[in-house]
Amino acid sequence: MPEKVPSQESGAEIKKDGRWGLALSGGGLSSSYGLGVVQALRDKHGLPAPAVVVASSASTPTGCVYETGQIDEAVEIWLNRVSDSDIVDPSGVMPTVDIMRVIDVVRESLKTDRLFSGASQVHFVATDFEKGVPTMLNASRAGTADRLYRMMSASMALPGAYGDVVEIDGRPFVDGDLSSTDQQKVDFIRSLGIEDVIAVRSADSSTLKGLMKILRRSADSERMMGLVRDTYKNVLSRTPRNFPVIFPSRMLPTGLLRNPSAEAIRATIALGYEDGEHFQLAPEFAA
């Protein structure tokens, strides 16, 4: 059994009434794949906003927009604000992302009032940098936009590429994908009373290779690589145990940070939509 994921902030108990949960992994630019998947879950399968969302790293904005009703707007932001911009610089020896620019773009559009007052619980996963374990940050109960975006930046932070270690309440956090697995996210959702969960993996083998390249050049490379090695072996496994997983059926055009062009991002979102559309929804998810 995977280690139980600690929750930094308690959430309300959810009764078992047929609602569903969504577990999202990140992966830099490849996180746009997950946005295409959730768009298809809404459009083609008619799924309402999930009762509980657990998202990590660059998928945290996607984790919010299902509840706020901004999925289509988020697609346009990826295509018009992220692509071909100076937010992502893939040209250097080590590709980089300006985390604060990402947060600013999200801040300009995300309807936080809907998130804070909505029925869904949205949790971000961040890695406790001192303990090396995943921690749930209750974004729905952040209370203020500033605290919400600090949680978001903590879940994305990858020193050397995506910004620095982020402190919340005196505790240091880095990217949630370094320590969390699909199983841990699903177990946390189920601990809140939601049995029916779909996991979406935005990572493929190229994402892992890109991440390991970045980590080798980070200031704390040995520690960072130690966190991620076993986690990503689990993430890339295609033999899930007790929950359905939607993952890329082909290599993602964007890679981790390889290609931020509008064409590559559009193709990655489209692949997510295609895979989400063809996903065989189990009877328990039917209306």
Side-chain angles (χ1 to χ4, degrees):
M1 289 290 293
E3 181 181 358
K4 184 179 179 182
V5 182
S7 176
Q8 188 191 29
E9 301 179 37
S10 61
E13 182 178 352
I14 296 176
K15 297 178 180 178
K16 297 181 180 180
D17 59 359
R19 294 179 294 171
W20 68 290
L22 178 65
L24 295 166
S25 68
L29 293 173
S30 64
S31 298
S32 57
Y33 170 86
L35 185 59
V37 171
V38 300
Q39 195 176 34
L41 292 178
R42 181 201 62 186
D43 293 349
K44 299 301 181 179
H45 298 291
L47 289 182
V52 180
V53 180
V54 174
S56 53
S57 194
S59 72
T60 50
T62 300
C64 296
V65 297
Y66 215 139
E67 171 62 24
T68 63
Q70 296 179 275
I71 295 175
D72 298 331
E73 185 177 345
V75 170
E76 293 304 311
I77 289 171
W78 267 100
L79 294 175
N80 298 322
R81 299 293 303 280
V82 178
S83 68
D84 299 313
S85 71
D86 57 0
I87 292 176
V88 180
D89 182 5
S91 62
V93 174
M94 183 169 67
T96 59
V97 176
D98 188 334
I99 282 289
M100 297 316 299
R101 288 285 309 283
V102 173
I103 296 298
D104 286 344
V105 169
V106 177
R107 185 187 288 269
E108 290 171 10
S109 58
L110 184 65
K111 299 184 184 302
T112 56
D113 57 328
R114 295 183 185 177
L115 185 68
F116 296 154
S117 63
S120 299
Q121 284 195 44
V122 179
H123 299 263
F124 300 157
V125 188
T127 299
D128 186 313
F129 196 49
E130 290 181 346
K131 299 178 181 179
V133 296
T135 300
M136 296 296 170
L137 307 176
N138 192 336
S140 300
R141 292 192 172 185
T144 67
D146 285 345
R147 184 172 176 83
L148 171 72
Y149 295 124
R150 190 158 189 82
M151 289 177 173
M152 189 176 287
S153 62
S155 183
M156 294 183 187
L158 192 62
Y162 300 174
D164 300 320
V165 174
V166 176
E167 284 199 3
I168 297 177
D169 298 335
R171 297 168 60 188
F173 291 101
V174 293
D175 195 304
D177 272 346
L178 295 179
S179 61
S180 65
T181 64
D182 293 334
Q183 186 70 61
Q184 288 170 319
K185 293 182 177 79
V186 170
D187 286 347
F188 179 79
I189 293 171
R190 287 177 172 166
S191 76
L192 298 178
I194 303 299
E195 291 299 322
D196 303 324
V197 184
I198 296 173
V200 178
R201 296 178 188 166
S202 296
D204 61 16
S205 58
S206 70
T207 309
L208 176 58
K209 289 177 182 178
L211 178 61
M212 297 303 281
K213 180 179 179 180
I214 289 172
L215 294 182
R216 288 191 189 99
R217 297 179 179 274
S218 68
D220 203 354
S221 61
E222 185 175 346
R223 185 177 185 186
M224 299 287 279
M225 289 183 70
L227 282 173
V228 77
R229 190 175 290 111
D230 291 338
T231 299
Y232 261 76
K233 284 181 182 178
N234 179 287
V235 168
L236 292 175
S237 169
R238 297 201 173 191
T239 55
R241 297 177 182 175
N242 59 357
F243 54 91
V245 179
I246 303 174
F247 51 80
S249 58
R250 300 189 296 277
M251 193 68 73
L252 296 174
T254 58
L256 179 69
L257 297 174
R258 184 181 66 250
N259 188 349
S261 70
E263 180 182 8
I265 290 175
R266 182 177 288 106
T268 299
I269 293 173
L271 179 58
Y273 195 95
E274 176 185 328
D275 290 344
E277 180 180 7
H278 294 157
F279 178 66
Q280 295 297 309
L281 207 61
E284 58 263 30
F285 289 96

